[in-house]
Amino acid sequence: AIVDDDAFMVTIMSALIRRCGDHEVTGFDDARAACAALTAPGAAFDVVILDLNMPGMQGLDGLERARQLDGGQRVALISGVVGRDVARQALERGAAGFLPKTLSAKSMVNAVRFMAAGEQFAPIGFMTEPEDAAQDSPLIRKLTKREREVLACLTRGKSNKEIALDLDILEPTVKLHVKALLRKLSVANRTQAALVAKEQGFG
């Protein structure tokens, strides 16, 4: 199960995991609905991937509450903005794993398989690399700085209007950047662009 208040992120992650073909995925963008499903009679999830920063989590206290829910599912944390110290604390408190949202698609799927098999996962690169290590790949290097900024917004599910406000540019300019992104990434729409970005470890 994936629990994240960012519905777009739930969609992207679910698509990535389903693509490997050996896991069923249930996504929730609402904590209450997730709790009801996790504690329902007969509920059986190999692992629950929980967004550390979603409303109501209250940091690692949310991890403790989730682990104590009836049903006994293993709980892993995912986050896009947390540092290594918090990740270590989560693992020490019994988290099934810690997933940075910057993980590549292949690494994300492998991590889910690893945790579903009963192991504890922590990405060595994230736990040991400098905090400001830049994300990069041959595909992403093809993009201009502004195109990368627009792509980062797309991975968060933002509209053209929201991107224009965030980057302080005109909406027609955003449309041009999006069109260029789709062409350079060889995809047909924004969702596919976000998915490719995730597969490249970007966003």
Side-chain angles (χ1 to χ4, degrees):
I2 300 170
V3 186
D4 193 318
D5 63 310
D6 183 343
F8 191 72
M9 186 66 187
V10 171
T11 299
I12 293 296
M13 284 191 60
S14 297
L16 289 173
I17 296 170
R18 287 193 184 102
R19 182 174 288 183
C20 73
D22 55 2
H23 284 291
E24 293 292 331
V25 184
T26 303
F28 304 93
D29 57 13
D30 178 82
R32 290 185 180 180
C35 285
L38 295 176
T39 57
F45 295 95
D46 293 322
V47 64
V48 177
I49 301 172
L50 182 62
D51 179 18
L52 176 63
N53 300 304
M54 71 185 300
M57 271 291 288
Q58 297 177 325
L60 293 177
D61 288 343
L63 168 65
E64 297 285 358
R65 292 196 303 274
R67 293 185 65 238
Q68 293 169 9
L69 289 175
D70 292 337
Q73 291 88 0
R74 306 180 73 242
V75 181
L77 293 180
I78 187 168
S79 178
V81 295
V82 80
R84 290 193 298 268
D85 287 343
V86 175
R88 290 193 184 100
Q89 291 178 46
L91 296 171
E92 289 170 0
R93 291 194 186 194
F98 179 81
L99 306 174
K101 290 186 178 180
T102 53
L103 276 181
S104 69
K106 182 177 180 180
S107 295
M108 186 75 73
V109 170
N110 286 338
V112 171
R113 287 173 169 164
F114 194 68
M115 294 185 296
E119 303 292 340
Q120 188 180 56
F121 174 82
I124 294 175
F126 172 80
M127 302 301 286
T128 59
E129 72 184 7
E131 294 281 1
D132 60 351
Q135 306 167 38
D136 209 356
S137 76
L139 185 60
I140 299 301
R141 281 199 297 269
K142 292 167 52 177
L143 307 179
T144 66
K145 179 176 181 293
R146 180 64 83 188
E147 287 168 351
R148 291 187 186 206
E149 292 172 343
V150 172
L151 182 58
C153 290
L154 291 183
T155 64
R156 295 192 289 273
K158 295 197 172 186
S159 67
N160 285 353
K161 183 176 182 179
E162 290 171 326
I163 296 173
L165 290 172
D166 284 356
L167 302 182
D168 194 25
I169 57 179
L170 297 175
E171 192 170 344
T173 302
V174 174
K175 292 180 180 179
L176 290 175
H177 285 308
V178 171
K179 184 177 181 181
L181 277 171
L182 299 185
R183 176 176 53 80
K184 289 184 178 182
L185 298 178
S186 300
V187 295
N189 54 52
R190 303 159 72 93
T191 300
Q192 291 177 6
L195 186 58
V196 167
K198 187 64 182 173
E199 290 174 338
Q200 296 294 316
F202 179 86

